[in-house]
Amino acid sequence: VEEDSLPEVWVWALRRDEAPDEACDAARSRADRALKAVATASTEGAPRGARLRCDEALNRASKARRAKTRADDAYARGHYRAAAAMYRDALRLDAFSEVAGLRAAVHCNVAACALVLDRCGEAVDACTKALRLRPDYLRARLRRARARARAGDFRDAVGDFDRYLRGARS
């Protein structure tokens, strides 16, 4: 990389396909297992208040999961505005609060929709939220760099590209 010029490295980073996010997939798997375990657990003998809180949390988590799945489908079909709204709905349900990796992925998905819709400021904000939850999230770092470059904020874009490249090449 040392011999590459900065523009060549930028072009490489801009054209680089985003690799599957194994950390997000692992968090999603843990969340699914936990959701299934809670759903099948018996609450007999538990205090009524605890049962109600458990049922409420399970219901909220199920709704959030369905909202995210519907948003993923909408994005895949090219319905980016609808997908962004559904991702935001999933975040409002606050069922991902215990799984920072999954919540970060949903924020990053909002950013992907915003980039397609040429809403660079919204994309930067969503990626920043994802990076607060998961500072090593390369996909969010690259999307924020792309959004900043499109918005003309080249100074901050360079910083994000640099951090992305260091992480991607290590």
Side-chain angles (χ1 to χ4, degrees), residues 108-122:
C108 199
N109 290 350
V110 169
C113 295
L115 273 173
V116 171
L117 297 170
D118 205 28
R119 297 177 182 164
C120 298
E122 185 180 333

